């Protein structure tokens, strides 16, 4: 794969929190890349540093050493909890227009779309995430969890990012709704050649969803591979343990 196909590259990234004797190193020499159109899964137990990797890529936590090279416009993020990630006081139309108002500040070359254009793009995006434009006038509190997560995904895609970081995007949803939201994400991935960092602790979901999976443990990526490689022939004990606890028997 050529260099230009690399959207983001982490090179020996370490992140610590706290100072002196309270210092805790959460990520220790993390290296991986995400290429155009690729879905990379990131798995590991709670507290292993998955969200910290997401935040480091987005510049929300400082990197202590190593480097993160972004080769694309700002990646967008979808969070686990669709209840707390939408402003309850605003309408869906307002929320989804917001990224279009903010984007030109970061990119002075880009023209800020006018109100009518923004509204039309929101209507279009609502359709793309499987909702109709009547949702524009509703507030988040009037929507189900699955509908809210569709709004979060749509909002994240308003600026047409090439890379989406999805941190446990379906973990807070009922199982049937999980499948619907995942299939929407798969559809958008194909349609837009959207690359994703898909963070999850559910190795079953990841098997079908991801092109490549990274296993994070103790601040390191201890193993990585295609789902077939990893699930059929896990090399590390920790990976075997994760597979076992997900109820995936070794083939
Ligand atoms: N801002 C912070 N200040 C101090 N410690 C932090 C901060 N953010 C994260 N940590 C610590 O870093 C470790 C990794 O946290 P992180 O949220 O990345 O884990 P995670 O793998 O996403 O877990 P989960 O699966 O529960 O979401 C945890 O021990 C956490 O307490
Ligand atoms: Mg997390």
């Amino acid at each position: 794969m050529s260099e230009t196909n690399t959207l983001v590259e982490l090179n020996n990234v370490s992140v610590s929190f706290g100072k002196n004797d309270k210092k805790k190193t959460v990520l220790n020499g993390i290296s991986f890349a995400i290429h155009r159109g690729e879905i990379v899964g990131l798995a590991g137990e709670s507290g292993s540093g998955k969200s910290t990797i997401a935040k480091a890529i987005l510049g929300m936590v400082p990197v202590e050493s190593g480097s993160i090279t972004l080769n694309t416009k700002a990646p967008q993020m979808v969070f686990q909890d669709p209840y707390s990630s939408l402003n309850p006081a605003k309408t869906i139309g307002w929320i989804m227009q917001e990224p279009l108002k903010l984007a030109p500040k970061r990119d002075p070359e880009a023209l800020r779309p006018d109100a009518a254009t923004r509204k039309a793009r929101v209507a279009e995006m609502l359709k793309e995430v499987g909702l109709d434009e009547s949702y524009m006038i509703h507030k988040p509190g009037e929507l189900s969890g699955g509908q809210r997560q569709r709004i979060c995904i749509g909002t994240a895609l308003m600026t047409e990012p090439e890379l989406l970081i999805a941190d446990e995007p379906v973990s807070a949803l009922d199982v049937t709704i999980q499948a619907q939201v995942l299939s929407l994400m798969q559809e958008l991935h194909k349609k837009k050649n959207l690359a994703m960092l898909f963070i999850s602790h559910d190795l079953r979901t990841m098997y079908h969803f991801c092109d490549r999976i990274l296993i994070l443990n103790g601040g390191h990526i201890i193993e990585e591979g295609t789902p077939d490689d990893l699930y059929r022939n896990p090399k590390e004990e920790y990976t075997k343990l994760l597979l076992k606890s997900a109820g995936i028997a070794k083939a």
Side-chain angles (χ1 to χ4, degrees), residues 152-188:
C152 293
I153 293 166
T155 305
L157 297 184
M158 285 305 290
T159 54
E160 299 175 357
E162 296 175 299
L163 173 61
L164 185 71
I165 298 178
D167 192 353
E168 304 263 10
V170 298
S171 304
L173 305 173
D174 289 347
V175 177
T176 50
I177 308 299
Q178 283 189 4
Q180 291 170 14
V181 172
L182 284 168
S183 96
L184 169 70
M185 290 176 71
Q186 190 73 255
E187 190 186 302
L188 291 166

Side-chain angles (χ1 to χ4, degrees), residues 26-44:
V26 173
L27 302 178
N28 198 347
I30 299 286
S31 299
F32 69 92
I34 303 174
H35 307 101
R36 196 173 298 280
E38 186 185 34
I39 302 186
V40 175
L42 179 60

Side-chain angles (χ1 to χ4, degrees), residues 3-242:
E3 279 295 312
T4 52
N5 268 331
T6 304
L7 298 179
V8 64
E9 185 166 10
L10 284 77
N11 195 352
N12 218 6
V13 168
S14 296
V15 171
S16 302
F17 295 111
K19 282 194 167 62
N20 304 324
D21 55 336
K22 291 212 173 72
K23 179 168 157 174
K24 185 179 165 195
T25 300
V26 173
L27 302 178
N28 198 347
I30 299 286
S31 299
F32 69 92
I34 303 174
H35 307 101
R36 196 173 298 280
E38 186 185 34
I39 302 186
V40 175
L42 179 60
E45 68 193 288
S46 182
S48 59
K50 303 182 297 297
S51 296
T52 303
I53 289 182
K55 287 175 190 161
I57 293 173
L58 294 166
M60 291 158 66
V61 299
V63 166
E64 186 177 24
S65 61
S67 65
I68 298 179
T69 311
L70 265 181
N71 249 324
T72 179
K73 63 177 150 178
Q76 296 297 310
M77 180 115 182
V78 173
F79 297 92
Q80 172 170 351
D81 183 4
Y83 292 90
S84 64
S85 46
L86 296 172
N87 186 336
K90 300 292 184 185
T91 62
I92 299 304
W94 188 95
I95 291 167
M96 291 182 76
Q97 283 185 39
E98 202 53 10
L100 297 179
K101 297 180 193 165
L102 298 172
K105 282 186 199 156
R106 288 195 291 260
D107 178 8
E109 298 286 305
L111 275 178
R112 180 176 153 148
D114 64 25
T117 308
R118 292 200 305 266
K119 203 175 158 191
R121 290 199 27 207
V122 168
E124 204 177 301
M125 185 57 76
L126 280 168
K127 269 186 226 136
E128 289 198 281
V129 297
L131 299 170
D132 66 70
E133 56 182 276
S134 66
Y135 281 90
M136 242 187 268
I137 57 165
H138 290 283
K139 289 188 177 165
E142 296 157 9
L143 271 57
S144 71
Q147 289 168 336
R148 287 185 209 206
Q149 201 56 309
R150 286 172 189 270
I151 298 296
C152 293
I153 293 166
T155 305
L157 297 184
M158 285 305 290
T159 54
E160 299 175 357
E162 296 175 299
L163 173 61
L164 185 71
I165 298 178
D167 192 353
E168 304 263 10
V170 298
S171 304
L173 305 173
D174 289 347
V175 177
T176 50
I177 308 299
Q178 283 189 4
Q180 291 170 14
V181 172
L182 284 168
S183 96
L184 169 70
M185 290 176 71
Q186 190 73 255
E187 190 186 302
L188 291 166
H189 153 71
K190 288 200 182 116
K191 188 168 155 191
K192 298 174 187 289
N193 196 29
L194 182 67
M196 290 186 211
L197 179 64
F198 183 81
I199 298 176
S200 177
H201 58 265
D202 181 1
L203 285 173
R204 281 178 170 271
T205 299
M206 294 178 109
Y207 180 80
H208 299 285
F209 199 79
C210 301
D211 298 312
R212 194 154 57 89
I213 297 173
L214 316 171
I215 306 288
L216 184 66
N217 185 30
H220 303 278
I221 290 169
I222 56 155
E223 189 165 6
E224 69 170 283
T226 63
D228 277 331
D229 285 347
L230 216 62
Y231 290 44
R232 297 222 169 102
N233 193 18
K235 294 192 174 50
E236 300 291 331
E237 282 309 312
Y238 181 74
T239 308
K240 291 177 192 167
L241 207 69
L242 279 186

